[in-house]
Amino acid sequence: ETPEVIASNPSLSISDIDSTPVEYPIHVEDNFAKSGIQLVLHEVESDGIAYVDFGLDVSMVPYDEIVLLNSLVALLNEAGTSDMNDAEFRNYIGKVTGGVSANLQVMSVKPAGWDDEVKVLPGINILSMLFIRGKCTADKIPDLFDVFTKILMDVNLDSKDILRNALKSDLSGRKSSLTNRGHSFADTRLRGRYSVRNFLGEKMHGYLSLDSSAAVLEAVDADWAQFVLRLENMRQAIINGNRNGMIINLTGDRYVLDAAMEIAEDFLVNKLPVDLGNPAPPTPDFRSVEHPWVAPAREEMKGAFSSQDEGIAVPTQVAYVAEGGRMYDVGEDVSGSASVVSHYLSTGYMWDVIRAKNGAYGAYSKFSSVDGVGTFFTYRDPNTPDTTLGLFNGAAQSVLDDVESSALTRDNNAAITTAIIGTIGGLDGSALSPRAAGWEALIRHLYGESTISRQRHRNEILKTTVDDFIDYAQRVKSWRDQSIAIVASLSAFNEMKSRTGQELSVLVQANADQEEDQSGEL
C-alpha cells in the first residue's frame, strides 16, 4: 500500500503502547533453609494451584556423554519405579498432580557485569540444567514432592523396551520434521556455525542429532548392561552435584507459596542425598567462567560442517532455504531497533515478494541480539533454491529503496510506526498463565537480564527511526561469514547446479531421491 493509503487506515499510534516492559514478580533467596539451594518465588494469582520447578546442574556430565541426556530424560518421563511399573506410576502421577515432567535446559547467559546491557554474547557462558516441573492443588503439595523424589532417585533406568521405543519414536519424529519443517533445521544448522551455544543446539536438536540418536539406539542394542551403567552413573553425578548448582522455583498464591516452602524445605534438606564422604566440588558461576562443554564443542565444530554452504537432501517437492551471516560482533551493543527492521522485512518484502508473488508458504527475516546473526528462510518453498537466494539478495536493497522512494520517511512515518507496533506485539505477546509467568521470570533471572536492560531495549524499539533502517540494511548487505543451509530434494540441488554452476556440499538422507510431497504446518 502507498503511504497515503496506510495513513488513511485506522491504526494505533506509538502513544497507545505501554512504554514499560511487562514484568513478573520475583523474590530470590540464596541458601534457602540452609540447604545451599537457591529459592525463587513468584507470588501470582493461581487459583490455589502450586507450580514447582526443580533444577539441577548437569555440567559435570562429560561432553562425550551428553548425547545420553535425552535418554535419561526419556526414562525419567516414562519408566516405572521400584514398586510401580510404568503405567502404574503414570496413573499415580495423574491422580495426585496436574502433571510432572523432566526436561533439559541449555541456555546462554550474560557474562557477569552485562546485566544492564544488550550485547552480542560470547556464546561460552552457558547454563545446562535438568528440570523436574510439576503442578498440583495446595493440598497435594506433599504428594508432588514425593513424585519429584521418585523421579529423581527411584525411576527404574533398567527399562530397555521403554527407552528403545521412546528413542525410536523420537528419531522417527525428527526425520519427519526434517521433511515437513525443514526451515527450522536449516536455520538451526546455519546458526550452529556462529557460536558454541548455537552449535550445542544443532548437536542436540538439529540435523546432527539424527546421527547421534541413531548411534544411541545402536548402543542400547549392543550392550544394554553397559548402557544402563552409564545412565546410572550420570544420574548419580547429577543428584549428588553441589547444591549451589540447584534451584527451586515456586509460583502461586501467597498461601500456596507458604505451604510449598514448608514441604520444599523438607525435600531439599531431608530427601535429597548428600555424599558427605565425597562432596561434589562447588558448581562454577558460569556467568564468570567458560562452561566445560565449550572447549570440546569448539573442537567438534571444526569438522561438523562440510562447507560454509550446505544442502540436506530429503524426499520432498518443496524446499526450505536459509541464508545468513554475522551482523554484529561479540560484545557489540545491539539496538532494539534491529528487531523492528527485521519485522518490517518479514511483513513487507519477504511476504510480498517471496510468499505472495513466488508462492512460498512462508518467508521470514530473523535476527537475534544474543548471537548477532541475521537470517532469511523460507517454508515450503516451490522455487528452486537459487531463485530464492536471488530474492534474498534483494531484501536489504528493498529497505534502502523504500527510504529513497519516501515509503520510509523521517517524520511521523506510518510504516515505521506499524513495524514498531508489530515488534512490541511480538515482544509482549498475550497475557501469560501463572505457570508461564513464573517460568519466564526464572529464565530472565538465570539469563542475567535486568529490568534496566529490558527497559532500554523497549525504549530503543519505540524510538526507531529511518536511520536505524538504513543501518540494518547496510549491515545485511555487508554481513560477514555469510553461509547457506538448504533442505530440498536431490533433483532440486542438481537443477540448481545446472542453472548456476553452484555446487553445495549435500548431506543425503535415506530415500532422498524420492520426491514425495509431505504436508506440514508451520
Side-chain angles (χ1 to χ4, degrees), residues 326-456:
R326 182 172 294 285
M327 297 174 60
Y328 292 80
D329 293 323
V330 171
E332 188 174 358
D333 289 323
V334 180
S335 170
S337 64
S339 299
V340 177
V341 188
S342 182
H343 177 85
Y344 178 83
L345 282 169
S346 284
T347 56
Y349 179 86
M350 303 296 283
W351 178 283
D352 295 337
V353 176
I354 299 179
R355 185 168 185 169
K357 292 183 181 179
N358 286 275
Y361 277 41
Y364 308 93
S365 169
K366 179 179 177 181
F367 173 76
S368 170
S369 61
V370 174
D371 56 25
V373 173
T375 57
F376 301 136
F377 57 91
T378 59
Y379 169 72
R380 293 185 60 76
D381 187 346
N383 303 289
T384 56
D386 57 290
T387 299
T388 297
L389 291 172
L391 296 173
F392 285 167
N393 289 339
Q397 187 58 46
S398 75
V399 174
L400 299 178
D401 290 344
D402 286 348
V403 173
E404 288 295 320
S405 68
S406 298
L408 293 169
T409 61
R410 296 184 185 279
D411 300 320
N412 213 15
N413 185 270
I416 295 179
T417 297
T418 299
I420 291 172
I421 292 171
T423 303
I424 290 291
L427 185 66
D428 291 350
S430 55
L432 297 184
S433 67
R435 183 181 196 181
W439 182 253
E440 175 66 18
L442 173 67
I443 294 301
R444 290 177 175 182
H445 165 63
L446 294 175
Y447 180 54
E449 181 183 74
S450 70
T451 55
I452 293 174
S453 170
R454 288 190 289 275
Q455 185 64 65
R456 178 179 296 175

Side-chain angles (χ1 to χ4, degrees), residues 68-326:
L68 301 188
L69 281 167
N70 285 336
S71 297
L72 178 63
V73 169
L75 285 171
L76 295 182
N77 282 326
E78 299 190 30
T81 66
S82 60
D83 58 357
M84 288 181 276
N85 63 32
D86 56 305
E88 291 170 340
F89 189 39
R90 299 273 81 74
N91 288 337
Y92 171 71
I93 291 174
K95 180 180 178 181
V96 301
T97 78
V100 179
S101 63
N103 63 70
L104 191 65
Q105 188 81 18
V106 180
M107 60 181 289
S108 289
V109 293
K110 289 187 173 184
W114 286 25
D115 302 54
D116 298 341
E117 309 295 333
V118 179
K119 297 180 177 181
V120 177
L121 304 187
I124 61 173
N125 303 102
I126 297 168
L127 278 184
S128 52
M129 302 191 77
L130 170 68
F131 275 95
I132 311 298
R133 306 187 66 201
K135 63 178 181 178
C136 66
T137 54
D139 60 309
K140 295 293 185 181
I141 293 174
D143 297 301
L144 179 66
F145 277 100
D146 178 60
V147 170
F148 276 33
T149 302
K150 290 181 181 296
I151 287 177
L152 284 170
M153 288 169 275
D154 193 35
V155 157
N156 180 17
L157 300 183
D158 190 2
S159 304
K160 181 177 181 179
D161 289 343
I162 291 174
L163 178 59
R164 198 171 187 280
N165 290 337
L167 292 176
K168 288 179 68 176
S169 176
D170 179 68
L171 181 56
S172 175
R174 288 174 193 259
K175 288 181 176 180
S176 177
S177 292
L178 178 60
T179 301
N180 297 332
R181 296 178 56 82
H183 61 297
S184 63
F185 281 83
D187 190 61
T188 298
R189 185 154 183 87
L190 190 152
R191 289 178 178 276
R193 300 175 179 138
Y194 294 98
S195 77
V196 173
R197 167 59 191 92
N198 288 355
F199 176 73
L200 289 172
E202 161 65 10
K203 178 181 177 68
M204 302 179 79
H205 306 292
Y207 180 78
L208 283 179
S209 71
L210 299 180
D211 287 341
S212 60
S213 295
V216 170
L217 262 173
E218 290 178 6
V220 167
D221 290 332
D223 191 341
W224 174 245
Q226 179 62 26
F227 192 89
V228 173
L229 180 61
R230 292 165 69 188
L231 288 182
E232 190 58 58
N233 288 340
M234 180 182 292
R235 173 165 67 175
Q236 292 304 314
I238 293 171
I239 63 177
N240 288 317
N242 196 288
R243 292 179 171 223
N244 76 320
M246 301 179 186
I247 192 166
I248 188 154
N249 189 55
L250 306 178
T251 303
D253 302 291
R254 183 68 258 173
Y255 79 93
V256 169
L257 294 179
D258 290 339
M261 288 170 65
E262 182 179 349
I263 307 303
E265 179 177 345
D266 178 63
F267 170 74
L268 299 177
V269 174
N270 300 319
K271 301 295 177 60
L272 285 181
V274 179
D275 190 348
L276 297 177
N278 186 29
T283 303
D285 175 7
F286 290 118
R287 294 189 61 197
S288 299
V289 301
E290 181 177 292
H291 193 283
W293 296 349
V294 168
R298 189 180 283 125
E299 223 18 68
E300 187 179 3
M301 285 176 71
K302 296 177 181 178
F305 302 100
S306 52
S307 75
Q308 194 72 357
D309 299 330
E310 290 181 314
I312 300 172
V314 298
T316 180
Q317 290 184 350
V318 293
Y320 307 89
V321 183
E323 181 179 20
R326 182 172 294 285

